[in-house]
């Protein structure tokens, strides 16, 4: 506890605002009954997100480089570098099943 007794004021305010917003969202979604209402809600949320995040940057080449491979019995791990934006290099491990016969999702 802080000396002035206000140690949780900011946290309490943030949590209170989050709870209020969650309740507003719950009420709004409870009113969605038709496909048109759902699509309108979806469009509204997308506009809000776009306004908050700004415009999406243009798509650019990923410039992928595989820097190494680790072979396991049922899968391989590919060590990958790619550019999320020009000059912004991201490292990743790609786990690929060995007996994969078709396209599969990735996370």
């Amino acid at each position: 506890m802080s000396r002035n007794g206000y140690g949780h004021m900011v946290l309490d305010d943030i949590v209170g605002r989050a709870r209020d917003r969650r309740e507003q969202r719950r009420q709004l979604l409870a009113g969605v009954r038709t496909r048109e209402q759902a699509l309108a809600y979806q469009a509204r949320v997308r506009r809000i997100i776009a306004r908050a995040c700004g415009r999406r940057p243009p798509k650019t080449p990923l410039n992928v480089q595989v820097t190494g491979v680790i072979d396991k019995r049922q899968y391989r791990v590919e060590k990958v570098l790619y550019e999320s934006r020009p000059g912004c290099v991201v490292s990743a491990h790609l786990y690929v099943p060995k007996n994969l016969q078709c396209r599969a999702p990735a996370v």
Side-chain angles (χ1 to χ4, degrees):
M1 179 167 189
S2 67
R3 291 181 203 201
N4 60 15
Y6 299 111
H8 299 287
M9 284 181 67
V10 173
L11 178 60
D12 290 345
D13 182 63
I14 292 170
V15 170
R17 288 176 189 226
R19 287 181 177 150
D20 291 345
R21 184 64 191 111
R22 184 176 57 198
E23 179 58 23
Q24 290 171 1
R25 180 178 178 272
R26 188 194 65 73
Q27 290 177 6
L28 188 63
L29 287 175
V32 174
R33 300 273 186 241
T34 66
R35 175 177 166 75
E36 291 75 24
Q37 289 173 326
L39 291 173
Y41 173 79
Q42 186 180 53
R44 178 177 171 268
V45 170
R46 285 185 174 162
R47 280 193 308 275
I48 291 168
I49 291 171
R51 190 172 59 233
C53 297
R55 298 168 84 190
R56 286 185 148 196
K59 290 194 175 204
T60 58
L62 294 175
N63 298 324
V64 177
Q65 298 174 4
V66 178
T67 61
V69 176
I70 301 170
D71 268 323
K72 298 290 185 178
R73 192 170 13 140
Q74 295 182 353
Y75 62 93
R76 73 180 182 276
V77 181
E78 294 184 9
K79 299 177 182 181
V80 178
L81 296 175
Y82 67 94
E83 291 184 18
S84 59
R85 289 182 281 175
C88 185
V89 179
V90 178
S91 62
H93 288 166
L94 184 61
Y95 292 77
V96 183
K98 285 201 174 174
N99 294 326
L100 191 62
Q101 301 298 321
C102 60
R103 292 179 62 168
V107 178

